[in-house]
Amino acid sequence: MGIIAVIIGGSGATGKELIDQLLERPEVERVTVLLRRPYFKSHKKLNEVIVDFNMLAQYSEHIEGDIAFSTLGTTIRDAGSQEAQWKVDHDYPLTFAEIAKQNGVNTFVLLSSMQADPNAKLFYPRMKGTLEQAIYKLNFPSYMILRPGIIDRPNTDRAGEKAAVGIINFLNKIGLFRRFRAIQTKDLAKALITASIDFPKTGEQLYESKEILNGIKR
Protein backbone atom coordinates (compact mmCIF):
# COMPACT_ATOMS: atom_id res chain seq x y z
CA MET A 1 0.00 0.00 0.00
CA GLY A 2 1.08 3.55 -0.66
CA ILE A 3 1.28 6.54 1.64
CA ILE A 4 -1.95 8.06 2.95
CA ALA A 5 -1.76 11.75 3.90
CA VAL A 6 -4.28 13.98 5.64
CA ILE A 7 -4.06 17.78 5.59
CA ILE A 8 -5.58 20.90 7.10
CA GLY A 9 -4.84 24.27 5.56
CA GLY A 10 -5.07 22.90 2.03
CA SER A 11 -6.73 25.97 0.53
CA GLY A 12 -3.85 28.26 1.54
CA ALA A 13 -1.04 29.03 -0.89
CA THR A 14 1.42 26.56 0.63
CA GLY A 15 -1.26 23.95 1.32
CA LYS A 16 -2.44 24.00 -2.28
CA GLU A 17 1.12 23.52 -3.53
CA LEU A 18 1.59 20.71 -1.03
CA ILE A 19 -1.50 18.86 -2.23
CA ASP A 20 -0.62 19.32 -5.90
CA GLN A 21 2.85 17.90 -5.32
CA LEU A 22 1.61 15.01 -3.16
CA LEU A 23 -0.85 14.00 -5.87
CA GLU A 24 2.02 13.80 -8.35
CA ARG A 25 4.06 11.45 -6.14
CA PRO A 26 3.67 7.80 -7.25
CA GLU A 27 4.19 6.50 -3.70
CA VAL A 28 1.23 8.52 -2.40
CA GLU A 29 -1.96 6.49 -2.55
CA ARG A 30 -4.47 8.97 -1.12
CA VAL A 31 -4.61 12.57 0.05
CA THR A 32 -7.44 13.63 2.37
CA VAL A 33 -7.91 17.37 2.80
CA LEU A 34 -10.25 18.87 5.39
CA LEU A 35 -11.82 22.13 4.24
CA ARG A 36 -14.58 24.57 5.16
CA ARG A 37 -15.92 24.55 1.60
CA PRO A 38 -15.26 22.74 -1.72
CA TYR A 39 -12.06 23.94 -3.33
CA PHE A 40 -10.15 21.41 -5.45
CA LYS A 41 -10.86 19.82 -8.82
CA SER A 42 -11.70 16.14 -8.73
CA HIS A 43 -8.70 13.77 -8.67
CA LYS A 44 -8.65 10.00 -8.28
CA LYS A 45 -6.26 10.24 -5.30
CA LEU A 46 -7.95 13.19 -3.59
CA ASN A 47 -10.56 12.91 -0.86
CA GLU A 48 -12.01 16.35 -0.09
CA VAL A 49 -13.95 16.45 3.19
CA ILE A 50 -16.02 19.50 4.14
CA VAL A 51 -15.88 20.04 7.90
CA ASP A 52 -16.80 22.39 10.72
CA PHE A 53 -13.44 23.04 12.38
CA ASN A 54 -15.20 23.77 15.65
CA MET A 55 -16.34 20.15 15.68
CA LEU A 56 -13.34 18.27 14.28
CA ALA A 57 -13.96 15.27 16.52
CA GLN A 58 -17.06 14.51 14.46
CA TYR A 59 -14.79 13.91 11.44
CA SER A 60 -12.33 11.65 13.24
CA GLU A 61 -12.77 8.84 10.72
CA HIS A 62 -11.15 11.03 8.07
CA ILE A 63 -8.14 12.02 10.19
CA GLU A 64 -6.11 8.90 9.66
CA GLY A 65 -3.27 7.63 7.53
CA ASP A 66 0.52 7.70 7.59
CA ILE A 67 1.28 11.44 7.63
CA ALA A 68 -0.70 14.42 8.92
CA PHE A 69 0.21 17.89 7.66
CA SER A 70 -0.92 21.18 9.21
CA THR A 71 -0.38 24.25 7.04
CA LEU A 72 -3.37 26.06 8.54
CA GLY A 73 -3.01 29.69 9.48
CA THR A 74 -4.57 33.11 9.13
CA THR A 75 -3.74 36.76 9.75
CA ILE A 76 -5.06 38.91 12.55
CA ARG A 77 -6.62 41.16 9.91
CA ASP A 78 -8.61 38.27 8.46
CA ALA A 79 -9.38 36.73 11.86
CA GLY A 80 -10.48 40.02 13.41
CA SER A 81 -8.87 39.57 16.82
CA GLN A 82 -6.06 37.78 18.62
CA GLU A 83 -8.59 35.43 20.18
CA ALA A 84 -9.99 34.46 16.78
CA GLN A 85 -6.52 34.02 15.30
CA TRP A 86 -5.50 31.82 18.22
CA LYS A 87 -8.45 29.55 17.50
CA VAL A 88 -7.42 29.10 13.85
CA ASP A 89 -3.64 28.98 14.26
CA HIS A 90 -3.45 27.11 17.56
CA ASP A 91 -6.66 25.38 18.62
CA TYR A 92 -7.65 23.83 15.28
CA PRO A 93 -4.19 22.39 14.50
CA LEU A 94 -3.83 21.07 18.05
CA THR A 95 -7.22 19.33 17.95
CA PHE A 96 -6.31 17.92 14.52
CA ALA A 97 -3.03 16.61 15.95
CA GLU A 98 -4.75 15.07 18.99
CA ILE A 99 -7.19 13.17 16.79
CA ALA A 100 -4.42 12.07 14.42
CA LYS A 101 -2.43 10.69 17.37
CA GLN A 102 -5.48 8.85 18.70
CA ASN A 103 -6.00 7.33 15.26
CA GLY A 104 -2.46 6.01 15.04
CA VAL A 105 -0.96 8.48 12.56
CA ASN A 106 2.81 7.98 12.75
CA THR A 107 4.13 11.28 11.39
CA PHE A 108 2.97 14.84 12.08
CA VAL A 109 4.32 17.76 10.03
CA LEU A 110 3.72 21.31 11.26
CA LEU A 111 4.28 24.44 9.21
CA SER A 112 5.23 26.92 11.93
CA SER A 113 7.04 30.27 11.70
CA MET A 114 10.45 31.82 12.19
CA GLN A 115 11.28 32.62 15.84
CA ALA A 116 8.37 30.61 17.23
CA ASP A 117 8.79 30.53 21.00
CA PRO A 118 6.21 29.86 23.76
CA ASN A 119 7.97 32.49 25.89
CA ALA A 120 8.08 35.20 23.22
CA LYS A 121 6.73 38.63 24.13
CA LEU A 122 5.11 39.11 20.74
CA PHE A 123 1.76 37.41 20.21
CA TYR A 124 2.38 35.64 16.90
CA PRO A 125 5.66 33.81 17.70
CA ARG A 126 4.31 32.99 21.18
CA MET A 127 1.19 31.42 19.66
CA LYS A 128 3.24 29.36 17.19
CA GLY A 129 5.72 28.28 19.85
CA THR A 130 2.93 27.25 22.22
CA LEU A 131 1.42 25.10 19.46
CA GLU A 132 4.77 23.47 18.67
CA GLN A 133 5.21 22.55 22.31
CA ALA A 134 1.66 21.23 22.75
CA ILE A 135 1.98 18.92 19.75
CA TYR A 136 5.39 17.75 20.96
CA LYS A 137 3.75 16.52 24.17
CA LEU A 138 1.52 14.20 22.11
CA ASN A 139 4.60 12.05 21.43
CA PHE A 140 4.23 11.28 17.74
CA PRO A 141 6.85 8.71 16.64
CA SER A 142 7.94 11.30 14.07
CA TYR A 143 7.27 15.03 14.51
CA MET A 144 8.59 17.59 12.04
CA ILE A 145 8.46 21.35 12.51
CA LEU A 146 9.34 23.70 9.66
CA ARG A 147 10.00 27.34 10.52
CA PRO A 148 10.35 29.25 7.25
CA GLY A 149 11.18 32.93 7.10
CA ILE A 150 9.23 35.21 4.79
CA ILE A 151 6.95 33.25 2.47
CA ASP A 152 6.58 34.50 -1.09
CA ARG A 153 2.96 33.67 -1.85
CA PRO A 154 1.90 34.20 -5.48
CA ASN A 155 -0.90 36.77 -5.91
CA THR A 156 -1.08 37.45 -2.17
CA ASP A 157 -3.39 40.22 -0.97
CA ARG A 158 -1.40 40.67 2.25
CA ALA A 159 0.11 44.14 1.87
CA GLY A 160 2.60 43.71 4.70
CA GLU A 161 3.81 40.44 3.26
CA LYS A 162 4.25 41.95 -0.20
CA ALA A 163 6.32 44.76 1.27
CA ALA A 164 8.46 42.38 3.33
CA VAL A 165 9.18 40.17 0.32
CA GLY A 166 10.12 43.24 -1.74
CA ILE A 167 12.46 44.56 0.93
CA ILE A 168 14.18 41.24 1.58
CA ASN A 169 14.61 40.56 -2.14
CA PHE A 170 16.22 43.99 -2.57
CA LEU A 171 18.56 43.40 0.35
CA ASN A 172 19.48 39.97 -1.01
CA LYS A 173 20.42 41.53 -4.36
CA ILE A 174 22.96 43.77 -2.68
CA GLY A 175 24.35 40.89 -0.67
CA LEU A 176 22.57 41.35 2.64
CA PHE A 177 20.46 39.00 4.80
CA ARG A 178 20.76 36.05 2.40
CA ARG A 179 19.93 33.62 5.20
CA PHE A 180 16.54 35.33 5.49
CA ARG A 181 15.68 35.33 1.79
CA ALA A 182 12.04 34.72 0.93
CA ILE A 183 10.91 31.22 0.03
CA GLN A 184 8.32 30.51 -2.64
CA THR A 185 5.36 28.35 -1.69
CA LYS A 186 6.26 25.65 -4.22
CA ASP A 187 9.69 25.28 -2.61
CA LEU A 188 8.23 25.28 0.89
CA ALA A 189 5.75 22.56 -0.10
CA LYS A 190 8.64 20.54 -1.53
CA ALA A 191 10.50 20.91 1.77
CA LEU A 192 7.47 19.60 3.69
CA ILE A 193 7.47 16.51 1.47
CA THR A 194 11.23 16.09 1.57
CA ALA A 195 11.22 16.12 5.37
CA SER A 196 8.36 13.64 5.73
CA ILE A 197 8.66 11.31 2.74
CA ASP A 198 12.12 11.54 1.15
CA PHE A 199 14.24 11.77 4.31
CA PRO A 200 11.99 10.84 7.24
CA LYS A 201 13.44 10.70 10.74
CA THR A 202 12.06 9.60 14.09
CA GLY A 203 11.59 11.86 17.07
CA GLU A 204 11.28 15.64 16.89
CA GLN A 205 12.94 17.31 13.91
CA LEU A 206 13.19 21.10 13.71
CA TYR A 207 14.04 22.76 10.39
CA GLU A 208 14.84 26.45 10.47
CA SER A 209 14.77 28.88 7.55
CA LYS A 210 18.35 28.24 6.38
CA GLU A 211 17.88 24.47 6.21
CA ILE A 212 14.59 24.85 4.35
CA LEU A 213 16.10 27.28 1.83
CA ASN A 214 19.13 25.05 1.24
CA GLY A 215 17.06 21.91 0.85
CA ILE A 216 16.45 19.44 3.64
CA LYS A 217 18.96 16.61 3.46
CA ARG A 218 19.41 13.27 5.14
Side-chain angles (χ1 to χ4, degrees):
M1 290 183 63
I3 295 169
I4 296 173
V6 58
I7 301 165
I8 58 170
S11 62
T14 302
K16 182 180 182 301
E17 286 281 1
L18 173 63
I19 290 171
D20 288 345
Q21 292 182 31
L22 284 171
L23 293 174
E24 292 176 357
R25 299 287 296 240
E27 68 268 59
V28 174
E29 177 181 338
R30 187 173 79 243
V31 178
T32 295
V33 54
L34 308 184
L35 298 159
R36 292 184 178 86
R37 60 186 67 86
Y39 185 81
F40 290 94
K41 293 181 180 179
S42 177
H43 190 287
K44 63 181 180 180
K45 290 185 180 181
L46 185 64
N47 177 29
E48 191 177 66
V49 181
I50 308 307
V51 305
D52 178 347
F53 279 92
N54 291 310
M55 299 181 176
L56 270 181
Q58 294 185 6
Y59 308 91
S60 175
E61 64 187 279
H62 300 289
I63 305 175
E64 57 183 17
D66 303 294
I67 307 172
F69 294 90
S70 175
T71 63
L72 187 64
T74 187
T75 64
I76 196 161
R77 186 189 69 178
D78 290 340
S81 67
Q82 288 186 348
E83 181 180 7
Q85 188 179 20
W86 186 279
K87 177 180 284 189
V88 174
D89 280 53
H90 176 279
D91 295 351
Y92 293 163
L94 179 55
T95 300
F96 174 67
E98 289 170 343
I99 297 170
K101 184 64 167 61
Q102 290 168 7
N103 287 348
V105 174
N106 183 77
T107 301
F108 195 89
V109 185
L110 175 66
L111 178 58
S112 188
S113 73
M114 182 171 60
Q115 298 180 332
D117 183 346
N119 298 312
K121 293 182 179 180
L122 295 176
F123 171 76
Y124 189 78
R126 184 171 70 252
M127 173 178 64
K128 293 296 187 179
T130 302
L131 174 62
E132 288 181 3
Q133 193 172 73
I135 295 176
Y136 172 76
K137 291 178 180 178
L138 297 176
N139 293 314
F140 279 93
S142 183
Y143 174 37
M144 290 144 188
I145 302 168
L146 279 76
R147 292 179 181 169
I150 297 169
I151 302 175
D152 187 357
R153 295 178 174 87
N155 305 314
T156 182
D157 61 354
R158 300 177 181 180
E161 195 169 81
K162 283 183 180 179
V165 169
I167 292 169
I168 200 69
N169 285 342
F170 170 76
L171 292 172
N172 291 165
K173 286 180 181 179
I174 61 175
L176 299 175
F177 298 104
R178 291 192 177 276
R179 63 175 295 196
F180 297 114
R181 68 186 187 273
I183 184 168
Q184 295 187 349
T185 51
K186 65 179 181 179
D187 295 325
L188 181 52
K190 182 179 179 181
L192 290 163
I193 293 172
T194 299
S196 58
I197 295 178
D198 296 331
F199 303 128
K201 297 178 181 179
T202 58
E204 182 186 35
Q205 305 299 323
L206 176 60
Y207 299 103
E208 300 283 4
S209 177
K210 184 177 179 180
E211 294 171 282
I212 297 168
L213 287 164
N214 292 336
I216 294 169
K217 300 171 183 177
R218 189 182 299 277

